[in-house]
Amino acid sequence: MRLTEKDADKKIKPIRVFFAIFPNKLVQKQLAHQAEILECTYGGRKVRTQNFHLTLLFLGDISTHRIEALQQTMKNISAKKFELSLDKICYWKRNQITYIQANQFPNELFFLVDSLKTALSEVGFLFDKYIYKPHVTLIRKATHSAEIDLPIPIKWEVNEWSLIQSKQTEHGVDYIPLKQWNLK
């Protein structure tokens, strides 16, 4: 019996992917310091330092044979470098997370996200249409609310973005970079 392409697709396990920006080592260290302080005071479990990121767009499960098309589509994205000034710690009760965000995000961030959405829509990729709320999760399963304005913001120079695979392991989630693109 011969397998059709559709039948073959059922046998190939999809991978979970998203677009994100990841901080450099210095910013990771500053975020880890904030997470340690918050974990002691507000409960929950801090995110592993190497997993700190700001999601641009979550795609979810994608068939592995579509990853190349996804990467090709991204070649046409042209967005500028920008700086984030992370200065506000907040709590999201529904998701039980404590996170850090900027009081004001640069327009270049929203332009990048909108460019991703437009390019992916044009070639038939599906994604959630939620209102974009940029943040970096510091604590999961947080038990107490936190609203803190940092006196000294964490400055983060953003000059690239990535396609990431999210892979569940026995030790938690690993984020595997699949491709990176430079900002102009």
Side-chain angles (χ1 to χ4, degrees), residues 15-168:
I15 61 174
R16 189 173 207 86
V17 297
F18 63 98
F19 291 103
I21 54 176
F22 280 77
N24 61 39
K25 297 287 186 204
L26 176 62
V27 174
Q28 278 183 343
K29 196 175 187 177
Q30 292 172 307
L31 293 171
H33 177 71
Q34 287 299 320
E36 280 182 33
I37 293 168
L38 293 166
E39 184 181 41
C40 292
T41 308
Y42 297 98
R45 154 179 68 74
K46 65 184 175 194
V47 171
R48 292 188 296 171
T49 301
Q50 69 269 21
N51 284 357
F52 289 131
H53 68 280
L54 189 143
T55 300
L56 299 170
L57 184 64
F58 181 77
L59 291 172
D61 292 334
I62 300 288
S63 177
T64 53
H65 80 273
R66 294 190 74 201
I67 296 297
E68 188 174 330
L70 184 62
Q71 292 173 347
Q72 288 297 322
T73 302
M74 296 301 102
K75 284 183 176 181
N76 298 325
I77 302 292
S78 179
K80 294 179 181 176
K81 295 177 184 179
F82 55 90
E83 181 182 85
L84 294 174
S85 183
L86 303 174
D87 54 3
K88 186 167 184 67
I89 295 183
C90 303
Y91 176 69
W92 198 345
K93 185 177 180 177
R94 190 184 78 154
N95 292 354
Q96 289 184 290
I97 64 169
T98 301
Y99 61 93
I100 191 168
Q101 68 174 27
N103 275 313
Q104 255 192 318
F105 285 99
N107 290 332
E108 292 86 356
L109 171 63
F110 295 106
F111 178 81
L112 175 57
V113 171
D114 289 344
S115 296
L116 293 171
K117 289 178 178 180
T118 300
L120 292 168
S121 292
E122 287 173 357
V123 294
F125 281 95
L126 302 175
F127 50 87
D128 290 333
K129 305 283 195 229
Y130 295 118
I131 294 172
Y132 183 56
K133 185 176 172 156
H135 67 279
V136 177
T137 301
L138 299 173
I139 302 288
R140 295 196 181 285
K141 305 227 182 282
T143 55
H144 297 87
S145 177
E147 288 284 326
I148 303 165
D149 287 317
L150 296 180
I152 301 171
I154 297 173
K155 300 286 187 180
W156 176 2
E157 295 289 331
V158 179
N159 53 29
E160 68 180 17
W161 51 284
S162 304
L163 174 63
I164 303 294
Q165 177 184 356
S166 175
K167 187 173 186 175
Q168 189 65 46

